Amino acid sequence: MDLERIERALRDGPPDEPLYVPGSFARPHMSAWLFAFAGVAVTAAIVIGIAIGVGFDAMRAPRVGAPLPSAVMADLEGTWVSDVISLDQWVDELVERGFDPNDIGNFLSHDPFERTARYQLAFDLGQVTISADYDETGMQVLSLGEYTLRDGVFSYVEASDAPSVIGGPCTLDATVNLDGSRLVWENVELHGCGVDPSIAHTVFFDLLPYTRLTGD
């Protein structure tokens, strides 16, 4: 009996059994240069993703810097004519706003009408001309002045005015409400105005809605 041959066969095992090599089923390790390349690729992808996200946010966000031209200012340019109001309605509206009937009577002594009134506002490059049609006799210029429009607030200063209560020019601030061809003044505030100018500015800017004159 060949003992050495038997022992050798036991050590080698069956001839069809696969030979075990330590580490042959472990995940292969990347080389150093391949690992470095993968890191660079991942970093680049993150940077590109951030840049694209910032770009989209910039497109969605409002621009910051110089103020945009006022669309309201452009839309306000032109001539606007108020609705017609009767004398009785005219007086009632002013009394409702807190004016004394005696002061209203004094105002009518220099701006008289008997039946109806209608007003016209013509805006042109920062200037406004105010006219009135009393009793359907045609528009006549009553006053003019300068206006500005900042942050949605319309400010008007009459060129010539009766002496104010406080001193300095009588000014008006209001919010412009434009709806197509219709114009309504809201949140009207008067500053430094005497009684007559207060009535006049209220009549012009806080009594009636306006319609854009055809062709303007």
Side-chain angles (χ1 to χ4, degrees):
M1 180 180 294
D2 190 346
L3 295 178
E4 291 183 1
R5 182 178 180 183
I6 294 171
E7 290 177 357
R8 188 168 56 252
L10 290 173
R11 286 197 302 270
D12 294 341
D16 58 346
E17 181 178 341
L19 181 65
Y20 170 71
V21 178
S24 62
F25 294 101
R27 183 175 297 176
H29 295 287
M30 291 190 294
S31 62
W33 68 268
L34 186 59
F35 183 81
F37 176 77
V40 171
V42 171
T43 302
I46 293 173
V47 171
I48 292 172
I50 293 174
I52 292 174
V54 170
F56 278 120
D57 286 341
M59 291 173 64
R60 288 193 296 264
R63 295 176 180 267
V64 177
L68 296 175
S70 173
V72 176
M73 177 72 84
D75 291 340
L76 195 59
E77 293 282 300
T79 304
W80 301 79
V81 180
S82 77
D83 293 351
V84 176
I85 188 170
S86 70
L87 176 59
D88 289 342
Q89 290 174 317
W90 189 93
V91 172
D92 289 344
E93 291 289 343
L94 289 174
V95 170
E96 186 175 325
R97 283 164 174 76
F99 289 101
D100 188 286
N102 291 324
D103 293 329
I104 297 172
N106 291 334
F107 184 89
L108 287 172
S109 67
H110 57 72
D111 279 73
F113 66 99
E114 297 179 356
R115 297 185 304 277
T116 60
R118 192 178 195 185
Y119 299 95
Q120 177 178 286
L121 305 176
F123 300 95
D124 181 26
L125 300 177
Q127 292 188 335
V128 56
T129 302
I130 302 173
S131 305
D133 178 4
Y134 293 134
D135 297 327
E136 300 182 0
T137 57
M139 288 291 177
Q140 296 181 351
V141 175
L142 298 181
S143 64
L144 53 88
E146 297 180 350
Y147 74 93
T148 58
L149 188 61
R150 295 190 181 93
D151 300 326
V153 177
F154 171 90
S155 297
Y156 168 74
V157 181
E158 192 171 15
S160 59
D161 202 350
S164 61
V165 174
I166 302 173
C170 173
T171 63
L172 174 143
D173 293 331
T175 303
V176 180
N177 186 340
L178 276 172
D179 185 8
S181 62
R182 293 288 279 178
L183 166 63
V184 176
W185 303 97
E186 299 177 344
N187 307 315
V188 176
E189 296 181 358
L190 299 173
H191 308 282
C193 301
V195 176
D196 258 26
S198 293
I199 292 176
H201 286 36
T202 300
V203 166
F204 302 151
F205 294 99
D206 195 26
L207 210 62
L208 299 163
Y210 284 78
T211 302
R212 181 183 290 278
L213 195 64
T214 305
D216 279 21

